[in-house]
């Protein structure tokens, strides 16, 4: 908080998802530590949490958005512990973790030893039915790759260059589509795969890089972490910590208030506010500084007048929609593992399916199954009945379910996933 004026600095946080709430939490901590700063938050939705939404349906815990966070990323885990939720932490059932790829109508396990699409165990990958002959040869040749400086390129070009088209279509594309929800022909290898891209810069061969950097021996933490009552517990704990007094020195939360414009103000004296924030209701708020926690296109629209150059660049960042469908079943068994992915070449509506009951403990009643299906982005144009009908038909065909689900929930996120396309680092 260095560089603040001697009078109090009023900071507006725009967006009430996890990013905005965490930012407001840090502002409040700074104020409590003596910094001359006050914060307030404005969110267009009537509820906090953004893409994080947990529902209790019968005795099932259903996530509409993210169901967990990566345990190896320290920030989320630190925040959970700071909020007093450590006793609610649960880890994924990694002892039974297995992922399948749907290939020609049947579920084929991913070969062991893969880090995304990079094979640490070459033999297991070469003998996998997912890898065609040309890619088997490419995997063997890749071990001898040398370092070479290359400009940013698409993920598709990057994978083809190392392991061939078969590895791209059958393994890399469904894995990366499941994570980033985008088109591998447009996604940037440098921005989307920074760790793997760094291996190429250092070793040339990704496979040799994996051999040179073995995983740490000994017990490893679970890959994914969540909270016993669902990810919404994190949002509830954050909101409960925030000071919501309507006072000049208090933190204010404003939900159901949509920002329509941000204007620069002409300073009229020392300590005068820099920005006017106009709401759809006609009300205005002033701020000395703004922390935006909004999708890039939304922020571009708001700062078009105040910062036209920034707005132009923000407008170059695209987003893809997400449609997820949750199904609850009684007395149905799924194959052992966490779920399956569907390559684009299979031309299915479902691109991925998580077996939630197998991934985390305590999510479903005894002997029940909870499936979470991720749709092709084109499904955002379909009605709920059409989506459910298509998914149930594919699930029955692919994993042999014979009964109808006890319930379903369809969730639509029109702008869910920012796309790190080729040139993203330069844009930043």
């Amino acid at each position: 908080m260095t560089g603040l004026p001697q009078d109090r600095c009023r900071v507006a946080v725009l967006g009430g998802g996890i990013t905005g709430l965490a930012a407001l939490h840090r502002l409040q901590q700074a104020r409590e530590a003596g910094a001359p700063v006050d914060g307030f938050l404005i969110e267009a939705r009537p509820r906090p949490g953004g893409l994080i939404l947990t529902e209790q349906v019968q005795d099932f815990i259903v996530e509409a958005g993210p169901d967990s966070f990566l345990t190896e990323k320290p920030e989320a885990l630190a925040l959970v512990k700071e909020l007093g939720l450590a006793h609610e932490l649960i880890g994924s059932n990694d002892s039974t973790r297995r992922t399948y790829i749907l290939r020609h109508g049947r579920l084929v396990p991913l070969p062991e030893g893969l880090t995304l699409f990079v094979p640490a165990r070459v033999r297991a990958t070469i003998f996998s039915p997912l890898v065609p002959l040309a890619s088997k040869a490419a995997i063997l040749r890749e071990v001898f790759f040398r370092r070479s400086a290359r400009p940013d390129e698409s993920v598709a070009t990057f994978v083809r260059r190392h392991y061939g088209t078969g590895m791209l279509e059958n393994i890399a594309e469904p894995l990366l589509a499941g994570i980033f929800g985008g088109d591998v022909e447009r996604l940037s290898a440098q921005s989307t795969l920074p760790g793997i891209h760094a291996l190429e810069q250092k070793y040339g061969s990704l496979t040799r890089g994996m051999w040179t950097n073995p995983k740490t021996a000994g017990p490893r933490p679970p890959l994914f972490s969540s909270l016993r009552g669902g990810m919404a517990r994190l949002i509830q704990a954050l909101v409960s910590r925030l000071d919501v007094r309507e006072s000049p020195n208090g933190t204010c939360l404003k939900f159901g208030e949509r920002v329509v414009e941000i204007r620069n103000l002409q300073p009229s004296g020392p300590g005068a506010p820099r920005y006017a924030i106009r709401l759809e209701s006609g009300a205005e708020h002033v701020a000395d500084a703004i922390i935006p926690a909004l999708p890039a296109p939304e922020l571009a629209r708001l700062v078009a007048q105040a910062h036209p150059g920034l707005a132009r660049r923000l407008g170059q960042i695209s987003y893809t929609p997400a449609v997820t469908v949750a199904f609850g079943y009684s007395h149905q068994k799924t194959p052992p593992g966490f779920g399956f992915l569907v390559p684009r070449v299979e031309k299915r509506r479902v691109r991925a399916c998580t077996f939630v009951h197998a991934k985390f403990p305590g999510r479903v009643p005894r002997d029940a199954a909870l499936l979470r299906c991720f749709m092709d982005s084109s499904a955002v144009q379909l009605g709920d009945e059409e989506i459910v009908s298509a998914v149930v038909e594919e699930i029955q065909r692919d994993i042999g379910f014979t009964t109808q689900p006890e319930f379903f929930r369809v969730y639509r996120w029109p702008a869910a996933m920012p796309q790190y396309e080729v040139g993203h680092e330069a844009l930043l």
Side-chain angles (χ1 to χ4, degrees):
M1 290 299 170
T2 57
L4 285 172
Q6 292 305 305
D7 53 335
R8 302 193 72 81
C9 180
R10 189 161 167 80
V11 181
V13 179
L14 305 185
I18 181 63
T19 304
L21 291 170
L24 192 63
H25 175 62
R26 296 294 179 223
L27 286 173
Q28 179 172 297
Q29 288 179 318
R31 189 185 79 234
E32 291 169 350
V37 59
D38 295 320
F40 64 98
L41 181 147
I42 304 173
E43 163 59 44
R45 291 187 178 96
R47 62 168 184 85
L51 299 181
I52 295 180
L53 175 63
T54 306
E55 291 191 318
Q56 180 93 26
V57 184
Q58 299 175 19
D59 291 325
F60 295 76
I61 294 176
V62 179
E63 299 283 15
D67 68 354
S68 57
F69 57 88
L70 286 171
T71 308
E72 68 177 15
K73 299 291 182 74
E75 294 82 3
L77 189 59
L79 181 60
V80 165
K81 293 178 178 178
E82 182 182 319
L83 294 172
L85 297 175
H87 65 288
E88 296 189 33
L89 275 169
I90 57 172
S92 50
N93 295 317
D94 287 3
S95 61
T96 60
R97 178 159 58 95
R98 173 182 282 186
T99 302
Y100 301 89
I101 299 289
L102 185 73
R103 189 69 179 129
H104 301 312
R106 67 187 187 93
L107 298 181
V108 181
L110 274 175
E112 293 184 2
L114 283 182
T115 298
L116 284 181
F117 52 84
V118 181
R121 301 181 187 177
V122 170
R123 181 183 177 87
T125 305
I126 285 179
F127 283 97
S128 170
L130 293 170
V131 182
L133 184 60
S135 282
K136 296 181 195 294
I139 290 168
L140 294 175
R141 288 195 303 269
E142 202 273 345
V143 176
F144 302 99
F145 274 27
R146 299 298 176 188
R147 286 182 293 174
S148 63
R150 290 176 177 270
D152 193 15
E153 61 188 335
S154 73
V155 167
T157 300
F158 183 85
V159 177
R160 283 193 199 100
R161 187 161 53 79
H162 281 271
Y163 298 117
T165 299
M167 179 72 98
L168 171 68
E169 291 183 348
N170 296 348
I171 293 179
E173 186 277 329
L175 279 170
L176 295 170
I179 298 169
F180 298 100
D183 182 354
V184 292
E185 299 288 353
R186 299 175 62 182
L187 291 174
S188 158
Q190 180 181 354
S191 299
T192 305
L193 308 168
I196 291 177
H197 186 265
L199 282 182
E200 183 188 52
Q201 301 303 302
K202 187 173 182 179
Y203 299 100
S205 165
L206 305 179
T207 305
R208 201 168 63 250
M210 284 293 176
W211 292 344
T212 310
N213 294 273
K215 293 181 178 179
T216 305
R220 294 176 59 81
L223 181 60
F224 302 103
S225 290
S226 188
L227 294 164
R228 194 170 294 117
M231 289 298 293
R233 285 287 298 123
L234 180 58
I235 302 302
Q236 294 162 5
L238 263 176
V239 172
S240 70
R241 287 289 188 94
L242 294 173
D243 182 351
V244 296
R245 294 173 295 164
E246 289 281 359
S247 69
N249 296 329
T251 300
C252 301
L253 298 175
K254 304 177 187 301
F255 294 106
E257 300 259 21
R258 184 169 179 266
V259 178
V260 295
E261 184 185 31
I262 298 171
R263 298 195 319 278
N264 277 321
L265 293 175
Q266 295 298 325
S268 57
R274 295 180 56 198
Y275 297 102
I277 302 166
R278 184 164 63 87
L279 306 183
E280 198 169 39
S281 64
E284 278 200 352
H285 297 273
V286 295
D288 304 297
I290 294 173
I291 298 176
L294 298 169
E298 176 71 4
L299 183 59
R301 180 182 63 80
L302 296 179
V303 301
Q305 178 182 340
H307 294 289
L310 175 61
R312 186 169 59 254
R313 287 167 174 79
L314 287 167
Q316 296 175 40
I317 300 175
S318 63
Y319 281 63
T320 59
V323 178
T324 65
V325 191
F327 294 95
Y329 289 87
S330 291
H331 307 293
Q332 290 284 7
K333 297 293 185 183
T334 54
F338 283 6
F340 64 90
L341 303 165
V342 184
R344 190 172 296 279
V345 294
E346 293 292 314
K347 301 186 184 306
R348 298 293 186 93
R349 289 286 193 190
V350 174
R351 294 302 315 277
C353 180
T354 300
F355 304 153
V356 179
H357 53 282
K359 185 176 180 181
F360 288 110
R363 287 290 194 258
V364 303
R366 185 179 178 84
D367 295 330
L370 178 58
L371 305 187
R372 190 165 182 247
C373 298
F374 300 80
M375 307 295 291
D376 184 84
S377 60
S378 62
V380 76
Q381 308 295 333
L382 304 179
D384 285 3
E385 289 186 5
E386 193 173 356
I387 288 174
V388 170
S389 176
V391 177
V392 168
E393 179 185 343
E394 291 187 9
I395 290 298
Q396 289 177 334
R397 181 171 49 195
D398 297 335
I399 60 177
F401 278 15
T402 57
T403 61
Q404 293 295 309
E406 291 194 4
F407 70 85
F408 66 85
R409 291 291 186 275
V410 179
Y411 303 101
R412 302 166 186 270
W413 306 104
M417 310 281 280
Q419 299 300 286
Y420 308 153
E421 297 184 351
V422 174
H424 186 74
E425 286 296 318
L427 177 63
L428 292 182

